[in-house]
Amino acid sequence: MNRLHLSSGFVRQSLVGLKLLVVMTVVLGVVYPAAVWGISQTAFHEKANGQIVSVDGKDVGSKLIGQNFATKDDDLFHGRPSAGDYDGLASAPSNLGPSNPDLLSAIKKRQATIAAIEGVDVADIPADAVTASGSGLDPYISPEYARLQVPRVAKARGLTTGAIEKLVADHTDGRQLGFLGEPKVNVLELNLALPDR
């Protein structure tokens, strides 16, 4: 009788545990994710979907992910370098320390390339132009790097530097809440604002 009592108690507890597993799986695996998805689609639709930017019905990028805008015409603003070659699946920093010879070599190479493309002295190139961000997919550049590129973009598009400088100023976001972070320029939005040639 004692064994029968132990056996029925084990079965009862196992059934309770199984019921709890099913209920929690439904609540935490279906109901909760569906509720979060529904709220985000209703209240924050654009942000919940990756802030995709479309032009004439065609998706051209995300406001949140950097792209390689270097073209042979050099008529677009360039973004920050990417440690993962702008591959969203390989989003990561290079993990090279500031004294690593490979990183120093890459920075010097980037400085030389930018100095040649922009026609400026290496000392005038801001840090974000030659260093990748932590994600390797930073969609922003500093206003200084954007202004450095103004003469090249203006010349390639046949526009005045004043017109391009105004676009840079119009697309410069200030510090968050007025005091957090640094001013920044979203490269995708700035490039899309450029008038057609």
Side-chain angles (χ1 to χ4, degrees):
M1 181 135 184
N2 205 6
R3 286 185 182 181
L4 182 62
H5 178 68
L6 287 174
S7 177
S8 66
F10 175 75
V11 171
R12 188 173 50 80
Q13 287 180 349
S14 295
L15 287 175
V16 169
L18 185 60
K19 288 177 186 176
L20 182 63
L21 174 67
V22 170
V23 168
M24 295 308 285
T25 299
V26 170
V27 170
L28 298 176
V30 178
V31 176
Y32 177 73
V36 169
W37 177 81
I39 291 168
S40 67
Q41 289 298 316
T42 304
F44 312 102
H45 181 72
E46 182 184 283
K47 289 182 178 181
N49 291 315
Q51 296 188 13
I52 302 298
V53 177
S54 298
V55 175
D56 298 328
K58 181 181 176 189
D59 295 341
V60 295
S62 167
K63 293 179 188 178
L64 304 174
I65 298 176
Q67 300 178 46
N68 184 2
F69 291 106
T71 64
K72 69 176 189 170
D73 296 332
D74 269 337
D75 63 342
L76 296 173
F77 285 88
H78 300 173
R80 287 187 76 170
S82 172
D85 200 26
Y86 303 97
D87 179 2
L89 296 176
S91 173
S94 68
N95 287 333
L96 300 177
S99 62
N100 186 291
D102 293 337
L103 178 63
L104 296 174
S105 173
I107 288 173
K108 289 198 178 300
K109 183 178 176 185
R110 291 173 187 153
Q111 285 175 325
T113 301
I114 291 171
I117 290 171
E118 306 298 347
V120 297
D121 188 70
V122 170
D124 296 330
I125 300 172
D128 66 307
V130 294
T131 56
S133 67
S135 69
L137 299 169
D138 191 351
Y140 299 100
I141 58 175
S142 65
E144 293 78 22
Y145 186 31
R147 285 191 291 270
L148 181 85
Q149 299 179 65
V150 165
R152 171 183 50 81
V153 173
K155 181 179 178 185
R157 291 191 169 256
L159 299 167
T160 65
T161 55
I164 302 298
E165 285 171 351
K166 182 173 181 344
L167 281 175
V168 169
D170 291 345
H171 287 84
T172 299
D173 297 330
R175 299 171 189 268
Q176 294 175 339
L177 302 175
F179 66 94
L180 294 174
E182 294 294 326
K184 58 190 179 277
V185 178
N186 187 291
V187 183
L188 174 63
E189 290 180 333
L190 178 58
N191 282 333
L192 290 174
L194 291 168
D196 293 332
R197 293 195 290 157

